[in-house]
Amino acid sequence: MVLIPEVVPTITASLYLPAVYLAMIVGFLGLTGIAIQKKDIHILILTDLVGLAMLIMVAAVGTDLAEALVLPGLVVELAEIMAISEILISREMRKIENAEPIDRVIARKHSVFPFPLKLDMEIMTTAPNFIALVMILYGAFLTGFTGGAVAGGGILFYIFSRKARGLPVIVIDGIGAISGFSWCLWIIGFVLFFIAPQYWLLLLFMAACGLFLKVASKLGLIGAMMREEYKKE
Amino acid sequence: MFFYTGCILAILGSIATVVGPGVKDPIVRTFNTEVAAIGLSLIFLVYNHTLALMTFIAATAVTTLILLRVITRLEEIGADA
């Protein structure tokens, strides 16, 4: 016996069981893969698959509740993959540094810094201005985490494909500061929402714009990081 | 209809990611994950989760970029990870 509230449409209720079974199958396959694999990088990719199973499970709830739960799930998954990838890289670098001298000669031939890679694609010379403009405008219109992700994607693409390399340190620090201030804006908006509910519209916009700036600036930094790696000449 | 297409894509994509052809190469494995991701997008579409779908697409693009960066980085330093 499952209790279904009246606001849930019948189609959502009828699709609930198939979706949950699907999530279980996908999650089981992903976890089996993780159990079999030995190499860390493969395990990292398979973790992504288990994350998809988690999202299917949440989406099966339907209604706005699911949407409110999917967004934090995505954020956590993104942050987790970024952190683990950094740990993987630094661990492998330390392993090579501590290796036997004979291995070290071989290791030095592959420098620990990435070698220059010529990325010469049409889309990266003609499109960035237009695509970045459209995505930032649309993201600003959406606000909130979704808007931040959309606008951040535009900024990431723009910064990644422009020729000029090497942001001055002050700019990177500045982007970090914007991100911190907007995080405060979000928290203040959220707290005041409970203290002074009569200003809900102002507080809603404070929180939404804070989150928008925060996510967009963070994704912009990822773009700068990627360009430093791939555009060395 | 979309829902079951999404289910089939998600299951096929996850099988392909775990045991599919050529998954010894991490890049192939990453691209196979995308198949399952398309299945999930279709399921979001059925449930009318507009915001979730849009955020998911943006987040998937960034995740793929991060994964590709790790893979190329690890291959360059010649690590056997």
Side-chain angles (χ1 to χ4, degrees), chain A residues 145-214:
Chain A
F145 182 80
T146 313
V150 171
I155 296 176
L156 196 157
F157 181 56
Y158 183 80
I159 295 183
F160 181 48
S161 35
R162 286 284 101 173
K163 279 281 186 299
R165 286 195 47 232
L167 282 179
V169 176
I170 192 158
V171 173
I172 292 178
D173 285 351
I175 293 178
I178 290 176
S179 165
F181 278 124
S182 52
W183 194 236
C184 293
L185 205 64
W186 180 72
I187 291 175
I188 292 171
F190 207 67
V191 168
L192 286 183
F193 197 75
F194 291 100
I195 296 174
Q198 65 268 33
Y199 301 120
W200 63 274
L201 193 61
L202 172 71
L203 301 177
L204 187 69
F205 269 94
M206 260 170 82
C209 294
L211 207 56
F212 165 71
L213 282 177
K214 159 109 190 132

Side-chain angles (χ1 to χ4, degrees), chain A residues 62-215:
Chain A
T63 67
D64 289 347
L65 178 64
E67 215 152 343
L69 290 174
V70 164
L71 298 187
L74 280 171
V75 186
V76 170
E77 207 192 318
L78 196 61
E80 172 204 317
I81 287 183
M82 257 174 89
I84 296 180
S85 69
E86 286 305 313
I87 293 173
L88 252 180
I89 291 178
S90 60
R91 199 186 67 180
E92 290 301 323
M93 277 164 98
R94 180 187 287 179
K95 253 189 209 165
I96 286 176
E97 273 169 19
N98 293 341
E100 295 289 309
I102 301 165
D103 289 346
R104 236 171 135 160
V105 177
I106 303 166
R108 194 163 292 154
K109 238 189 288 173
H110 310 272
S111 132
V112 269
F113 295 105
F115 49 76
L117 184 70
K118 275 270 186 186
L119 271 182
D120 194 15
M121 286 189 275
E122 172 80 23
I123 190 169
M124 295 179 73
T125 53
T126 48
N129 291 328
F130 182 71
I131 289 183
L133 191 68
V134 169
M135 284 180 82
I136 290 172
L137 282 182
Y138 186 48
F141 173 70
L142 286 173
T143 69
F145 182 80
T146 313
V150 171
I155 296 176
L156 196 157
F157 181 56
Y158 183 80
I159 295 183
F160 181 48
S161 35
R162 286 284 101 173
K163 279 281 186 299
R165 286 195 47 232
L167 282 179
V169 176
I170 192 158
V171 173
I172 292 178
D173 285 351
I175 293 178
I178 290 176
S179 165
F181 278 124
S182 52
W183 194 236
C184 293
L185 205 64
W186 180 72
I187 291 175
I188 292 171
F190 207 67
V191 168
L192 286 183
F193 197 75
F194 291 100
I195 296 174
Q198 65 268 33
Y199 301 120
W200 63 274
L201 193 61
L202 172 71
L203 301 177
L204 187 69
F205 269 94
M206 260 170 82
C209 294
L211 207 56
F212 165 71
L213 282 177
K214 159 109 190 132
V215 176

Side-chain angles (χ1 to χ4, degrees), chain B residues 6 8 11-12 19-20 24 26 38 40-41 43 50 53 60 63 67 81:
Chain B
I8 293 168
I11 291 179
L12 279 184
V19 288
K24 285 267 181 293
I38 296 288
L40 178 58
S41 305
I43 292 173
T50 324
L53 176 59
T60 315
T63 314
L67 282 178

